[in-house]
Amino acid sequence: MVSAATRKNLLKVRVMDFITSIAILPLLFGCVGIFSLFKLLQYMRMKAYIRNAVVIITGATSGLGRECARVFFAAGAKLVLCGRNREALEELTRELAASRVTEVQTHKPYIVTFDLADPGAIVAATSEILQCFGYVDVLINNAGISYRGAIIDTSTDVDKRVMETNYFGPVALTKALLPSMIKRRHGHIVAISSIQGKISIPFRSAYSASKHATQAFFDCLRAEMEQYEIEVTVISPGYIHTNLSLNAITADGSKYGGEAPVSLLFCEKLLVSHRETFCSYLINLYLFIQI
Ligand SMILES: NC(=O)C1=CN([C@@H]2O[C@H](COP(=O)(O)OP(=O)(O)OC[C@H]3O[C@@H](n4cnc5c(N)ncnc54)[C@H](OP(=O)(O)O)[C@@H]3O)[C@@H](O)[C@H]2O)C=CC1
Ligand SMILES: CCCCCCCCCCCCCCCC(=O)OCC(=O)COP(=O)(O)O
């Protein structure tokens, strides 16, 4: 015999079941709708942010830089393309001009050539960059070189060359462009780092070190620039198939010119190089669980 109270509870459960079954679909669609709307607004904001923005891209002759140039050009940005090879940059501007973009008004890019590893050239390049459109909205520090070699065989000159290109060059260019951004209280500085800015890899010491330094410098910059409303972003990609490996320099400074497969020795050394990190993670985890 079911008591009156139990019957009342059963009724309550049925009513709740009914409400849940009819509410679940609208709720689900509602969430998907809100998420899609959020994504659409984000996309529209991004497009508006880029359209007519003055964007400087270093290392625009190849790989990631070249691809960024295509995307930003199509989005209506006012580009200043930088690199060492004027011919390659001119070819890129011809390609961009020939591409059919119907949605937005596009702008003819400027070209500024300079060597990031030459501190003297950066000062002159900065004033040339600023003369193009009078100001800079976004600086993409993309240019870089890779390095392959054993530390024991590598001359300090090679370490310095990688650091000059990947670290000191972008730092000098950023510092040179900062005053104009601070004056306008507006700007966005992007540094293309790497996973190797967070994890060092054997036989890549100079490259990994330059990317760790990049990560550290631009993290500090982000905190210091907050008061001027200048944004700083560090991007840390994994492997992307570009000319980076081909253009890598070796222990004696010569061009690598090949693409070596990942060897077992490499994997073994990688584990050794991260033994300390791995151990400290385990110790931290242990302490965390204990506390
Ligand atoms: N490809 C990958 O797997 C990854 C790449 N990255 C980073 O992405 C960035 C772009 O690399 P990616 O496109 O792959 O490589 P690429 O070799 O294809 O492009 C490198 C660019 O840097 C320029 N550059 C090199 N040295 C100098 C210099 N001294 N002065 C001025 N410009 C220079 C080159 O121009 P020039 O015509 O003058 O040689 C070229 O445009 C680098 O910072 C790299 O470290 C990060 C993670 C992964
Ligand atoms: C317990 C130990 C854990 C260890 C985890 C290690 C994980 C290592 C991931 C390695 C990812 C590497 C991404 C590198 C991104 C990058 O910068 O690529 C470009 C180059 O490295 C340069 O090209 P090259 O072919 O010359 O090396």
Side-chain angles (χ1 to χ4, degrees):
M1 188 68 188
V2 182
S3 71
T6 314
R7 219 175 293 134
K8 204 174 156 193
N9 277 344
L10 273 173
L11 187 69
K12 262 190 201 167
V13 169
R14 277 199 200 116
V15 170
M16 294 312 282
D17 279 353
F18 179 69
I19 292 174
T20 315
S21 63
I22 48 170
I24 194 86
L25 271 180
L27 260 174
L28 203 67
F29 281 122
C31 287
V32 172
I34 288 171
F35 182 71
S36 310
L37 191 66
F38 171 72
K39 282 293 188 196
L40 181 72
L41 287 174
Q42 229 183 8
Y43 176 70
M44 283 165 63
R45 180 187 175 274
M46 189 184 70
K47 275 179 75 168
Y49 183 78
I50 294 302
R51 192 172 304 166
N52 298 321
V54 176
V55 180
I56 319 301
I57 304 175
T58 67
T61 58
S62 163
L64 262 67
R66 202 178 165 98
E67 207 46 49
C68 279
R70 287 196 188 110
V71 172
F72 281 91
F73 175 83
K78 296 173 175 168
L79 293 177
V80 181
L81 305 175
C82 306
R84 286 173 300 185
N85 185 340
R86 176 166 284 276
E87 225 170 83
L89 292 173
E90 277 169 356
E91 192 230 299
L92 173 62
T93 48
R94 280 195 295 275
E95 184 201 305
L96 294 177
S99 61
R100 274 197 218 121
V101 182
T102 47
E103 245 184 76
V104 292
Q105 191 208 337
T106 56
H107 308 274
K108 188 175 185 294
Y110 281 87
I111 291 174
V112 176
T113 49
F114 63 100
D115 186 344
L116 269 169
D118 174 2
I122 293 175
V123 180
T126 305
S127 60
E128 215 182 310
I129 288 170
L130 283 171
Q131 272 169 17
C132 294
F133 295 101
Y135 59 91
V136 172
D137 288 310
V138 184
L139 164 65
I140 304 182
N141 283 304
N142 162 74
I145 49 165
S146 181
Y147 148 88
R148 289 166 171 242
I151 293 172
I152 195 91
D153 302 327
T154 304
S155 72
T156 314
D157 280 349
V158 168
D159 291 320
K160 283 183 183 161
R161 208 166 119 196
V162 177
M163 285 301 283
E164 290 288 356
T165 310
N166 292 2
Y167 177 70
F168 288 111
V171 164
L173 182 63
T174 302
K175 283 187 181 182
L177 287 170
L178 270 182
S180 71
M181 287 188 175
I182 290 175
K183 213 164 149 192
R184 294 175 66 225
R185 292 187 75 88
H186 177 76
H188 196 145
I189 293 160
V190 180
I192 308 292
S193 179
S194 158
I195 290 186
Q196 292 196 55
K198 295 173 187 291
I199 302 170
S200 311
I201 288 185
F203 309 114
R204 301 290 186 276
S205 55
Y207 182 80
S208 287
S210 72
K211 294 300 185 181
H212 270 70
T214 299
Q215 178 79 51
F217 178 86
F218 287 95
D219 281 349
C220 289
L221 187 67
R222 184 181 308 114
E224 291 185 26
M225 288 302 115
E226 198 193 7
Q227 59 183 314
Y228 304 115
E229 288 154 59
I230 295 169
E231 288 182 76
V232 179
T233 304
V234 180
I235 297 177
S236 308
Y239 277 116
I240 305 164
H241 194 82
T242 64
N243 289 326
L244 192 68
S245 308
L246 281 172
N247 293 332
I249 58 169
T250 60
D252 62 7
S254 60
K255 198 169 157 174
Y256 174 70
E259 280 177 277
V262 177
S263 69
L264 273 180
L265 174 73
F266 180 93
C267 296
E268 187 199 316
K269 296 277 183 224
L270 186 63
L271 276 173
V272 175
S273 71
H274 288 282
R275 194 171 43 205
E276 244 176 66
T277 325
F278 190 57
C279 289
S280 80
Y281 279 147
L282 282 184
I283 292 165
N284 282 339
L285 186 67
Y286 175 74
L287 289 175
F288 178 73
I289 293 165
Q290 289 298 302
I291 292 161

